[in-house]
Amino acid sequence: MKKIIYVFIIFTVISCTSNHKEKSTKVSYSKNIKIDSIYIEEVMLPNISTSFSGTFEIFDNKINFVDQRFGWVYEFNPNGKLVNRHLGQGAGPNEINTAYLDGYVNLKSGNHLFLGSTFDVHVHSDSSFERIKSYTFSWEGAQDVNKVRTSSSPDVNQFALYTLDYQNLIIREDQNGNVYLPIYGETQYFNGINSDFYYDKGHILARLNLKSGRIDKLLGKRSPQYLEQKYLPHHSFFSYDIDENNYFYVSHEIDSLIFKYDQNFDLVSVFGSKGRNMATDYITMKQFDSKLFKDLYFNKRPQLGWYSYLEFVDDVGLLFRSYTKGKHSDYDGLQIFEDETLIGDVQVPKSFRVKGYIEPYVYGELKTNDDSKLNLYRFKLENL
């Protein structure tokens, strides 16, 4: 087993996300490599009727595949055997009454929350999948929507300034029963193409209060790297997770650092390590150009490397962060952090992301455009 100890700590000034007060925050680059490689095996799944558009979720020793197009939830055991199929589109008590599922989260209670395309929320029970409630959530705060969205100096706490980021709709729940949804702005003066204010002050998460059914708070901000590299709207996604102590971990596509916040979204610490062999020669946009944006997003972006997905697995106390390397590589990378220290940076299949843990395996999926099979994989953690 190879073991490397490397610690480098600096101090920098980073804006506190919740109240924008400046404070000195420790930034740590710490390595103690315990894991040199992992052996990833495919979990063989039976043939099922599916659109192949969806995601795997791990909860309570169950593996669910949520079919976003047809509204089915397929339940598998840890070895990939089909246990049951739940829901499907329809108006019955054990069906999902929405045309498309844009988001899903398995709640701490065991219940299932689905989000449709029109702010519609559907909550179904744990094992029977019976409908508990459906509603359309609202954004709190009296506001003149037109005035907010046309202002040259908008109030970043006004809900009308934002929309849900459906291309990056990672839904998480904290320990207090609040659900979080990624958001972004696209108004004339508040957008990712030509606005310093957007990157400096704009929020990235909306908090949905499940009891009231309302968005009651806006939180977070983007990495300062976006202001330094004006502008990269085609690389503006982020990933995040919340641990069992209500700490938030946020990773932005172009930034090797991971930002840790408490439940009030005050910045606690910053840590991270650059991925290996990443192509990061990003092309910036100096002004609005729809043709250029489409080229950068659809053509150039897939050829480059970025930090793509983050998952904190409470069962093992480890944070996993996936990153793409770029077109030049046949593989992507997976970083493993323990107590903010990098303990592994390993080679994984393209588009691999960790989704959860069922002893003794860490499970993950491939997020590809393959419409012919479901891609579920797993590996054991060695040397820990």
Side-chain angles (χ1 to χ4, degrees):
M1 177 181 68
K2 180 173 66 177
K3 194 171 185 178
I4 302 174
I5 306 293
Y6 171 64
V7 180
F8 174 48
I9 298 178
I10 63 174
F11 288 85
T12 188
V13 176
I14 295 180
S15 175
C16 178
T17 301
S18 63
N19 56 18
H20 304 298
K21 293 180 181 178
E22 297 295 317
K23 71 174 185 178
S24 182
T25 304
K26 182 173 70 173
V27 180
S28 174
Y29 300 89
S30 178
K31 295 183 182 180
N32 180 9
I33 301 300
K34 301 177 184 179
I35 302 173
D36 295 311
S37 63
I38 56 176
Y39 172 72
I40 298 180
E41 64 181 37
E42 184 175 4
V43 180
M44 303 306 297
L45 301 173
N47 292 326
I48 59 174
S49 178
T50 177
S51 68
F52 299 99
S53 174
T55 184
F56 284 99
E57 296 295 335
I58 313 294
F59 187 83
D60 194 25
N61 292 328
K62 300 175 184 176
I63 301 170
N64 288 331
F65 176 75
V66 181
D67 188 310
Q68 295 175 279
R69 174 62 184 85
F70 296 137
W72 289 320
V73 177
Y74 286 94
E75 179 185 335
F76 302 94
N77 74 9
N79 292 318
K81 180 181 179 180
L82 181 63
V83 176
N84 209 338
R85 188 184 80 176
H86 307 281
L87 296 178
Q89 293 175 354
N94 298 98
E95 296 176 315
I96 186 85
N97 56 344
T98 189
Y100 187 85
L101 301 177
D102 280 285
Y104 167 81
V105 62
N106 211 147
L107 300 173
K108 309 295 183 187
S109 63
N111 294 334
H112 309 268
L113 183 147
F114 304 90
L115 183 66
S117 302
T118 57
F119 297 169
D120 50 311
V121 176
H122 310 266
V123 181
H124 288 251
S125 64
D126 180 8
S127 56
S128 69
F129 280 80
E130 185 175 358
R131 182 182 300 111
I132 297 175
K133 58 182 176 180
S134 294
Y135 59 90
T136 299
F137 74 73
S138 57
W139 303 72
E140 277 191 1
Q143 52 203 322
D144 182 330
V145 174
N146 185 62
K147 182 178 180 181
V148 171
R149 295 181 67 83
T150 57
S151 172
S152 60
S153 56
D155 177 357
V156 296
N157 294 308
Q158 287 290 333
F159 300 95
L161 198 57
Y162 302 89
T163 187
L164 294 185
D165 192 349
Y166 285 103
Q167 297 300 313
N168 185 46
L169 204 56
I170 301 170
I171 305 178
R172 306 290 193 182
E173 183 193 17
D174 66 18
Q175 301 298 323
N176 301 323
N178 298 303
V179 164
Y180 296 83
L181 309 168
I183 55 175
Y184 74 105
E186 56 178 0
T187 71
Q188 179 180 358
Y189 299 104
F190 187 75
N191 61 75
I193 295 179
N194 58 14
S195 171
D196 280 16
F197 187 65
Y198 174 82
Y199 289 111
D200 186 35
K201 302 296 184 182
H203 294 301
I204 60 174
L205 287 173
R207 187 176 73 184
L208 172 62
N209 185 308
L210 293 183
K211 291 183 179 179
S212 67
R214 301 176 72 86
I215 298 290
D216 64 7
K217 195 170 186 179
L218 303 177
L219 301 157
K221 63 183 288 188
R222 300 187 187 278
S223 162
Q225 285 292 317
Y226 286 100
L227 274 180
E228 293 184 18
Q229 301 190 47
K230 301 178 182 179
Y231 293 101
L232 295 170
H234 44 295
H235 281 288
S236 62
F237 294 142
F238 66 95
S239 183
Y240 73 104
D241 202 359
I242 310 168
D243 70 16
E244 60 186 357
N245 297 310
N246 264 0
Y247 285 111
F248 290 73
Y249 300 85
V250 182
S251 174
H252 302 270
E253 279 201 353
I254 66 169
D255 197 336
S256 64
L257 296 176
I258 297 170
F259 298 80
K260 180 179 178 180
Y261 305 90
D262 65 17
Q263 61 183 341
N264 298 316
F265 241 80
D266 289 322
L267 190 60
V268 175
S269 61
V270 185
F271 63 96
S273 182
K274 291 184 177 180
R276 298 187 298 172
N277 193 28
M278 295 176 68
T280 58
D281 49 338
Y282 308 124
I283 300 174
T284 61
M285 292 187 65
K286 303 302 182 184
Q287 60 186 3
F288 177 75
D289 184 330
S290 60
K291 184 177 180 179
L292 175 60
F293 176 81
K294 290 178 181 179
D295 179 56
L296 293 177
Y297 186 83
F298 292 106
N299 299 323
K300 300 297 192 298
R301 173 187 164 85
Q303 301 179 24
L304 298 174
W306 68 86
Y307 301 93
S308 55
Y309 194 77
L310 182 150
E311 184 85 16
F312 192 99
V313 180
D314 290 297
D315 292 322
V316 293
L318 299 175
L319 186 151
F320 298 86
R321 181 171 64 167
S322 303
Y323 64 92
T324 69
K325 293 177 179 288
K327 186 179 179 181
H328 65 283
S329 174
D330 293 328
Y331 300 93
D332 281 342
L334 177 68
Q335 296 181 327
I336 307 170
F337 293 88
E338 181 179 36
D339 296 327
E340 303 185 15
T341 295
L342 183 72
I343 64 170
D345 189 338
V346 297
Q347 180 175 282
V348 292
K350 286 276 193 179
S351 78
F352 179 81
R353 56 175 59 176
V354 167
K355 298 309 297 278
Y357 179 80
I358 301 176
E359 190 176 8
Y361 292 102
V362 175
Y363 288 80
E365 66 178 347
L366 303 187
K367 295 301 292 184
T368 70
N369 294 321
D370 187 354
D371 61 356
S372 62
K373 69 186 295 285
L374 300 180
N375 296 288
L376 181 67
Y377 291 80
R378 67 186 184 184
F379 63 89
K380 292 181 179 180
L381 292 168
E382 308 288 352
N383 303 325
L384 291 181

